[in-house]
Amino acid sequence: GLDLNLTLDLELQMLAEKMLESWRGAVVALDPRNGDVLVMASSPSFDQNDFIGGISSKKWKVLIEDPGKPMTNKAIQAEYPPASTYKIITSIAGLEEKAIDTGFSTFCPGFFKFGNRVYRCWNKHGHGEVELIQALAQSCDVYYYQAGDRIGVDVLAQYAKGCGLGRKTGIRLDNERRGLIPTSQWKKKRYKEAWQGGETLSIAIGQGYNLVTPLQMAVFTAAVGNGGSLYRPRIVRTIEDSDGRVVRRMEPEVTGGLPASRETLEIIKKAMVEVVHGTRGTARRIALKGVTIAGKTGTAQVFSVKNNEKIDTENLEYELRDHAWFVCFAPADDPVIAVSVLIEHGEHGSTAAAPVAGELVKHYVQPRADAQK
């Protein structure tokens, strides 16, 4: 007869579920100040009432054969390449290891030659000369290919793991997946092959063997926003008896700190603000008046493309289309919410995932900002 007092924001949860209705994917929103789970939505979902008294074999068959996998809580159990959201990690590693700095710039003609291969930027026309802030704001692949080559896969892995990736967040829910952060040793053990330099370029932009969950990315993004503290996500605030007395209180729990100095995090935050509020930022469409959002878009490849192979993206099968990512926190200077959105086969983070996060921030933060005026 005990009651669970959850951290979920019901209105925000309902909004997230509504915005996911026509998509497959997941949305997670956290309070960066304590790790409270404000939203955890997974789509497609299912009617839990069907299980009361035993589900029929017909309904069960429909559920387990649905390609959208409604029985999977995609927020904690589905693993995806982090795509360009991982460029935040590459930036942190590069700055901390002094492989790059804010003055380090590269020229992006739309591609990068490495060995006998050509690695393309998402912008085939190129970004021109870019330094760190604009490279992150415009998500320039060529910049991060070169940064990744300077850092190396094993150092990247060290920072990624320090940022909470490749391990469980510790949320008190069953069957959480840990994702995957590859190292040269991991590949040798797994495939009996040596690591190739070109693979590091893919890792640096969040492709290759990298795998994360939407919850992991929310916890990491919240930590960037709050100054470096990784919180265990909390979904139950208190447990109360039938008289309303608190039997147990779940206190916020810090599980670690980002391997980044205050100066590094300020640079990252500045670049993430440019993503949304800069004139060439990849998520400038979701900018709100009166609320500064710090974010990062990502587009994750579902399958590998051979060198110079042309793909007809207009007529690509749904299951082969790219996944769309967006992570953010707001207000940028003193965040009360961090959001992670993954839209399966949504193709572009800027057009599919970012608007979902933008609506959540607008609903949750803007009224607070207006009240303070």
Side-chain angles (χ1 to χ4, degrees):
L2 297 175
D3 292 332
L4 298 180
N5 178 15
L6 302 182
T7 60
L8 292 175
D9 183 299
L10 185 57
E11 282 189 21
L12 208 60
Q13 175 75 20
M14 291 169 69
L15 176 61
E17 290 182 5
K18 185 178 180 184
M19 295 198 73
L20 273 182
E21 274 178 359
S22 57
W23 296 104
R24 300 178 192 173
V27 177
V28 177
L30 304 176
D31 186 330
R33 300 167 296 184
N34 51 26
D36 280 1
V37 178
L38 304 173
V39 171
M40 184 176 285
S42 179
S43 179
S45 191
F46 60 93
D47 188 350
Q48 295 176 41
N49 292 315
D50 288 343
F51 287 84
I52 297 173
I55 191 169
S56 69
S57 57
K58 184 179 178 182
K59 283 186 176 178
W60 176 249
K61 191 170 186 288
V62 169
L63 280 177
I64 61 171
E65 291 181 356
D66 187 331
K69 300 182 179 177
M71 300 290 286
T72 299
N73 180 356
K74 293 176 180 177
I76 65 171
Q77 295 170 340
E79 299 163 309
Y80 308 92
S84 292
T85 61
Y86 189 89
K87 289 172 183 171
I88 304 170
I89 304 267
T90 305
S91 300
I92 289 172
L95 287 167
E96 289 296 317
E97 292 295 312
K98 300 193 169 25
I100 59 172
D101 56 31
T102 51
F104 171 69
S105 67
T106 62
F107 182 80
C108 170
F111 61 89
F112 177 60
K113 289 182 178 177
F114 185 84
N116 59 358
R117 278 199 64 176
V118 174
Y119 292 81
R120 305 208 170 275
C121 186
W122 70 266
N123 184 344
K124 63 182 180 182
H125 303 295
H127 291 98
E129 195 75 26
V130 286
E131 40 61 51
L132 176 59
I133 301 293
Q134 284 306 313
L136 195 69
Q138 298 176 44
S139 205
C140 176
D141 292 330
V142 168
Y143 181 95
Y144 284 97
Y145 290 147
Q146 295 186 51
D149 185 43
R150 285 172 168 232
I151 300 163
V153 64
D154 292 330
V155 174
L156 279 171
Q158 175 191 326
Y159 279 88
K161 289 174 181 176
C163 289
L165 306 186
R167 59 184 167 92
K168 296 178 182 180
T169 65
I171 191 169
R172 290 180 170 89
L173 292 174
D174 290 339
N175 304 314
E176 182 187 9
R177 301 299 294 268
R178 65 176 65 248
L180 173 64
I181 297 300
T183 62
S184 56
Q185 198 60 37
W186 168 85
K187 190 192 174 192
K188 202 165 190 178
K189 188 176 178 182
R190 175 73 174 77
Y191 293 105
K192 308 290 188 288
E193 292 176 2
W195 189 268
Q196 302 299 313
E199 292 175 304
T200 304
L201 307 193
S202 295
I203 293 297
I205 64 164
Q207 294 292 159
Y209 301 110
N210 280 324
L211 290 173
V212 299
T213 67
L215 179 62
Q216 284 176 330
M217 291 309 296
V219 170
F220 164 59
T221 304
V224 174
N226 69 28
S229 296
L230 290 162
Y231 280 94
R232 179 200 293 266
R234 179 174 67 163
I235 203 159
V236 175
R237 189 176 284 115
T238 58
I239 301 174
E240 300 172 358
D241 64 18
S242 55
D243 295 322
R245 287 189 293 261
V246 176
V247 176
R248 187 177 174 191
R249 189 181 303 278
M250 308 297 183
E251 298 295 342
E253 183 183 344
V254 175
T255 59
L258 297 182
S261 65
R262 184 177 297 178
E263 292 75 20
T264 289
L265 290 178
E266 282 302 314
I267 293 167
I268 300 299
K269 187 184 292 186
K270 184 179 178 182
M272 289 177 70
V273 168
E274 279 290 303
V275 169
V276 179
H277 299 277
T279 54
R280 296 183 69 184
T282 54
R284 57 190 180 278
R285 297 177 194 176
I286 70 160
L288 298 172
K289 280 188 178 179
V291 178
T292 306
I293 303 172
K296 184 70 194 81
T297 54
T299 302
Q301 287 182 350
V302 174
F303 67 101
S304 299
V305 180
K306 291 178 182 176
N307 200 23
N308 296 323
E309 184 182 351
K310 300 292 182 185
I311 300 296
D312 179 9
T313 53
E314 296 291 323
N315 299 306
L316 201 61
E317 289 177 43
Y318 174 78
E319 300 287 346
L320 297 178
R321 293 176 188 173
D322 296 339
H323 297 321
W325 275 103
F326 187 69
V327 297
C328 70
F329 55 86
D333 288 337
D334 190 15
V336 297
I337 190 171
V339 186
S340 167
V341 180
L342 184 284
I343 304 293
E344 291 184 2
H345 313 298
E347 298 193 89
H348 303 293
S350 57
T351 55
V356 175
E359 278 300 308
L360 295 187
V361 170
K362 181 180 177 182
H363 180 88
Y364 193 75
V365 180
Q366 206 154 40
R368 288 169 168 77
D370 292 342
Q372 289 174 359
K373 287 180 181 178

